[in-house]
Amino acid sequence: MKKLTLLLLLSMANYISSGQVTGKKPNIIFFFVDDMGWQETSVPFHTEITHLNKRYHTPNMELLAAKGMKFTQAYACAVCSPSRISLMTGLNTMRHQVTNWTLRRDKSPDPEHPDLLPPKWNLNGMSAEPGIAHTVHAKTLPMFLQEAGYRTIHVGKAHFGATETPGEDPLNLGFDINIAGHAAGGPGSYYASNNFSAAFRDGDRIWDIPGLEKYHGTNIYLTEALTIEANQAMRQAVSDEVPFYLYVSHYAIHAPWEKDFRFYNKYKSMGLTDFQASYASMVESMDKSLGDIMQNVKLLGIESNTIIVFMSDNGQPKQADENLPLRGHKLQAYEGGVRVPLIVYWPGVTRSETHTDDYVIIEDIFPSFLEMAGIKSFQQIGGEIDGVSFLPMLQGQPGSQTDRPLYWHFPNTYDQPAYSSVRQGDWKLIYYHADRRLELFNIAEDIGEVNDRSQENMEVKDALAKILSNSLRETNAPMPIDKRSGKPVEYPDQL
Amino acid sequence: MKKLTLLLLLSMANYISSGQVTGKKPNIIFFFVDDMGWQETSVPFHTEITHLNKRYHTPNMELLAAKGMKFTQAYACAVCSPSRISLMTGLNTMRHQVTNWTLRRDKSPDPEHPDLLPPKWNLNGMSAEPGIAHTVHAKTLPMFLQEAGYRTIHVGKAHFGATETPGEDPLNLGFDINIAGHAAGGPGSYYASNNFSAAFRDGDRIWDIPGLEKYHGTNIYLTEALTIEANQAMRQAVSDEVPFYLYVSHYAIHAPWEKDFRFYNKYKSMGLTDFQASYASMVESMDKSLGDIMQNVKLLGIESNTIIVFMSDNGQPKQADENLPLRGHKLQAYEGGVRVPLIVYWPGVTRSETHTDDYVIIEDIFPSFLEMAGIKSFQQIGGEIDGVSFLPMLQGQPGSQTDRPLYWHFPNTYDQPAYSSVRQGDWKLIYYHADRRLELFNIAEDIGEVNDRSQENMEVKDALAKILSNSLRETNAPMPIDKRSGKPVEYPDQL
C-alpha cells in the first residue's frame, strides 16, 4: 500500500468525525457478485497480470480500482449461503453453522457418503426470528443500519434462508425494500424473454425470479433489469433525503450460463469457445452494471458521500475451465475457491490507485459497514462477532491483521470432500474430514498450493492444527459423523 | 498540466531515441469519432463537470484519460470532410480548400444563397494522384507511415474524396487495408439486420456500408462489427511483426441516430427522451469499442509500445438539443462547433491523469504522428504544412503554442452562414461573409461566446482581422462571390 501522509490521516479523521457530528451518514453501496473468481476481471489482483486478466474485460472495475483501494488477499467462504450469512451476521461459518448452500426447508443438498453421515448444520439458513428450526438466529447488518437511520435496499439474489422460513424474504431480515430476492441462489433464466424462469427448459419453477414481471417478455437481460431497479431505488432515496444501504447482489455470474448477447461477439471473435465467450459476456455485463451504478451516483450528485464496495461471494465454479495460477474452485478450500476480488472506494478516505496485501474475509464487511455508518457499539445475538473492521487498512495501517487466523468450515459432502481450514500469516492448513488428512501450504511462496509442506514443516502444521481445533471446539462447529464409530470426526489436534 | 520532473524528461528522451535506434516503432491507434461533441462524455474537458458530462457514460474514455493526457482545448474543423483532409494532409482548411463535406463528384451540398455565389472549393475532396479536378493533391499521413515501415489499416468512415474519384477509396490514399470505408460520410443504417443499408427506409443506396457483408442479416451493431474487424487486423499485424497505424474511424455518432439497444435501457430509465437516450446509447456503444480496442492491445502484449489517441472530428450536430456552456454546434464557428475531446496515451511518455490547456487543432495530428513514428523530415506536395507537432506538450512544455493563430474557413452556404475565423490567445474573431459582420469573443472569460466584444476591443478586433486576412491572402482561400458586385467577398481588413 502506498504510504499515507500525516496530513491525509488527519483529513480522514476529520472527515469521519465530522460525518458523525453532522449526522450526514455516508451512503453505502455493496456490489456483490455471485460465483465470480479472483481473476475473472481485467483488474489484476495478483502480483502480475494473468492469462485470465487478459481474457476478461471489466473497465468499470478498473475505474473503481483506480479511484479506490484494491485488496489483493480478500477471502469469502467457498460457497454462497455461508458467505451471505457471514456478511449478514459478522459470524464465521463455524459459528453460524450454515455450512453449505440452502434452498428448501429441512432439505440438504448433500448426497450420501460412503464413510460419513452429515452433521447437524443450519440447513434452513438464517432467521432474525428466534425458534426457527435449523437456522442461525441473528440480528442482521441491515437491521443495525435501519436503526442508524438508513434506508436498506435489497436488489438481486438473497439466498439467506430456505423456502417456508422467514429468512427466505429479505423484508424479514432488515431490508426496507426487496427487489427480486428470495430463497433461491440462481435464476431460472437471465432472459426476460423467458420471464427469468426455467420453464422454457422444463426446469424447476423454484428458480423463477420474483418481482420483475414488468420486464417479462422483453429483451432485457436480468443483470440490466436489476441495475435499472437499483438505480431507481437509489434515486428515490436521494429524493427522500435519507441515507441508504444499497445491496446490489447480482445473480450473475451463477449458472445457468446464458450469454449476454450485448457482449458476446467480442469474446467469440477472440477465439474463445462458446462457453468461455458466454461466461465472459456475463462478466462484462456485470461490469456494465457497476458502471451504471457509478454513473448514477455521479448523476445524483452524491459521489463525495457514497462508499462503493465491490466483492464476490466465492471463487469461480469448476465449469469455468481454468484458474491458474490458483488451484481449485468454488466449494474447495484452495485459493481458487475462497480468494475473491475486493475493491473499496470511499471518497475522502481511500486514496486513488492504492492497494493492500492485508487479509480480510467476508464477515469483516459487517463491522466495517457499521463503523462506516458511525455505529460505535452493537450487540449481536449470542455475543461477539468474528468479523474485524477493515477501516484501519483504509486508513493506512498495514500489517495489522496478517497474524489473525481466518477459518473455513465445510463439513458437507456436496460436490467435494468435507474439510476445515485455517490461514494464518503465510500458511494454510486444510483438514479433510473423511480421511483425516492434513495439507499444509505456504501461500506467500506457493499461491498455486502445489507443494504440500505438511511433512517438512511439522511444527507449523501442529501449531495450525491446534489453532483450528480450538476454534472448532470453541464454536462447537458441526462435524460429520464417522459411520463406523458413530462419533463425530476428530479434531485435527486429536489425530 | 502536472509538472514533469527532469528524470521523466530524460527517460522520455531515452525512450524516444532508443525507439529510433532499435527500429522498434510504436504502434499508433487513432480512434476518431464522428460528430461527437466536447461534452458527450463522462470525461470532463471543461473546468467543471457539466450537465452533459453527467448524462453520458464513457468509462473507457475515463480510463484512457486516467492513463494519459487530456487536451482541454483541442479543435477540429466544424464539419467532417475538412477535418479529415486536414488530418490526412497536415494542411488547414484555407490551404486544402475542401471547405465543406463531399460526396458526389462535382456536386456541392451548398444550396442557393440570396446574396452569395459559391466559391471554387475542392468539392471532390482530396487525391494522392495529380490532375483530378476540384481536389487537393497531397501526400497522405498513411503514405508517409507506409514509407517508414508501417502497416496502415483503415477501419470505418473514410469520406476523403467524392464518388468516381480516386480519393473515394482509402487504398488509393496510403492505406494497405480498407475495412468499410468509401466516399460517404454516414451509414445507411447501423443495423446489420438492415445490411447497414438505408434500403429498409427507401433511402439512397449511396450510404450502404461496403465490405461488411458477412455480418448482414445478423443482430450486430455497426460500431461493434467495425471493432471486431479492427481488432482482427491488429492481431494480424502483431502476428506479422509489423508496426501498424490503425485508423479506427467510427461512423458513430453521425446520423441516422439509431439506438444501440445494448445501452439504451439505462438512458431511457433516467428519464431521457427517446432521441436523447438513443443518442447516448450510441455514445456508450462507441465507448465500448474504445474499451475493446484497449483490451485487445493488452491481450496482444503490445501496450507498452502502442500509442492510443482519441479525438472527434467536429462538434455535436444541432439535433443533439443542448450544448451549454458552449454555444453553437457542428458547422458553426462557435466553440460548440469546433472544440472536441482529445486524449493521448503514450506509455512511457505521457503521465497518468495529466492534462494540458494548450491549443491543438486537427492538422497537428499529421506532424505529431510522423514524429511519433520517428520520421524526422518529410515533404508535403506544395511545400509547408500548417500543423505543428504536439509532442512538446506531451513532454511537459506548456504554453508553447498559445500564441499561435488557429484558423477556420467555411465559405459555404450549407446549413448556416459562411464565415472565416481565427483564435489567438484568449481571443476569437469570426467574420461572416454575407453581411461582413465581425464578432469578437474572449474565450478564456466567456467560453459560451455570449458577449461580443468587437465594439469595445477595437484594437484586438483589428489585429485579428489583419491576421485572418493575411492568412486568407497567403493561402488564396476561396471566398464566396458577392452576387451584386460579382467579386469575391472582401477580406476583413478591407472593411
Side-chain angles (χ1 to χ4, degrees), chain B residues 104-172:
Chain B
R104 291 180 174 84
R105 183 176 184 126
D106 298 339
K107 294 250 193 302
S108 170
D110 290 315
E112 176 98 17
H113 189 276
D115 304 318
L116 300 177
L117 290 171
K120 287 200 166 35
W121 63 285
N122 279 324
L123 51 76
N124 288 332
M126 74 171 299
S127 174
E129 286 180 31
I132 309 298
H134 312 307
T135 65
V136 54
H137 172 219
K139 188 165 170 181
T140 68
L141 174 61
M143 284 173 162
F144 285 105
L145 293 171
Q146 273 180 331
E147 288 175 358
Y150 278 76
R151 177 173 300 174
T152 53
I153 305 162
H154 181 282
V155 181
K157 169 168 168 169
H159 205 204
F160 301 122
T163 52
E164 301 169 52
T165 73
E168 71 175 321
D169 186 348
L171 298 181
N172 294 330

Side-chain angles (χ1 to χ4, degrees), chain B residues 5 11 70 72 82 98 136 149 167 207 218 232 240 259 309 336 354 371 415 418 471:
Chain B
T5 63
S11 74
K70 180 170 80 171
T72 64
V98 185
V136 54
W207 308 107
T218 72
Q232 176 54 32
D240 295 344
K259 58 180 69 75
V309 178
T354 46
E371 191 176 347
D415 186 75
S471 185

Side-chain angles (χ1 to χ4, degrees), chain B residues 350-487:
Chain B
T350 52
R351 286 185 68 202
S352 61
E353 280 191 274
T354 46
H355 78 272
T356 177
D357 301 323
D358 285 348
Y359 315 150
V360 290
I361 189 163
I362 182 73
E363 54 262 28
D364 299 345
I365 297 286
F366 181 99
S368 302
F369 284 8
L370 294 188
E371 191 176 347
M372 287 169 173
I375 299 168
K376 285 173 181 165
S377 66
F378 54 87
Q379 183 66 40
Q380 182 52 285
I381 295 164
E384 293 302 301
I385 63 165
D386 300 292
V388 177
S389 170
F390 55 66
L391 265 59
M393 295 185 196
L394 304 183
Q395 296 169 8
Q397 296 166 30
S400 53
Q401 298 198 16
T402 51
D403 287 336
R404 163 190 175 212
L406 304 180
Y407 300 105
W408 294 266
H409 184 55
F410 184 75
N412 301 73
T413 57
Y414 179 79
D415 186 75
Q416 75 96 47
Y419 63 84
S420 304
S421 61
V422 58
R423 175 170 181 180
Q424 188 182 40
D426 292 342
W427 295 93
K428 185 202 278 184
L429 184 80
I430 307 175
Y431 174 49
Y432 289 100
H433 299 166
D435 54 7
R436 279 69 160 179
R437 188 164 47 88
L438 289 165
E439 288 179 351
L440 179 70
F441 301 101
N442 185 310
I443 303 298
E445 293 173 7
D446 175 26
I447 197 174
E449 295 164 284
V450 175
N451 301 309
D452 178 1
R453 306 273 287 272
S454 59
Q455 299 310 308
E456 343 158 16
N457 297 78
M458 306 286 285
E459 275 185 36
V460 177
K461 182 184 75 171
D462 291 345
L464 284 179
K466 189 82 205 162
I467 289 170
L468 182 57
S469 300
N470 285 344
S471 185
L472 290 165
R473 277 188 195 96
E474 187 255 315
T475 56
N476 196 22
M479 295 298 282
I481 310 300
D482 186 297
K483 281 187 177 178
R484 282 162 300 183
S485 70
K487 290 182 184 168

Side-chain angles (χ1 to χ4, degrees), chain B residues 235-257:
Chain B
R235 208 173 286 126
Q236 189 62 51
V238 172
S239 162
D240 295 344
E241 296 183 351
V242 59
F244 61 82
Y245 170 56
L246 174 60
Y247 177 55
V248 183
S249 171
H250 275 297
Y251 283 94
I253 48 180
H254 194 286
W257 295 289

Side-chain angles (χ1 to χ4, degrees), chain A residues 54-57 59-60 62-63 228 235 262-263 265-266 269-270 288 291-292 295 298-299, chain B residues 54-57 59-60 62-63 220 228 235 262-263 265-266 269-270 288 291-292 295 298-299:
Chain A
K54 290 183 183 171
R55 175 193 298 180
Y56 293 101
H57 190 208
N60 294 291
E62 289 181 46
L63 271 177
I228 288 172
R235 209 174 284 126
R262 298 176 300 175
F263 301 100
N265 286 309
K266 172 178 61 175
S269 73
M270 280 162 58
K288 175 184 189 292
D292 290 352
Q295 183 196 16
K298 282 201 278 188
L299 198 62
Chain B
K54 290 183 182 173
R55 175 192 298 179
Y56 293 100
H57 191 207
N60 294 291
E62 290 181 47
L63 270 176
I220 209 163
I228 289 172
R235 208 173 286 126
R262 299 176 299 175
F263 301 100
N265 286 308
K266 172 178 61 173
S269 73
M270 281 163 57
K288 176 184 189 293
D292 291 351
Q295 184 196 14
K298 282 202 278 189
L299 197 63

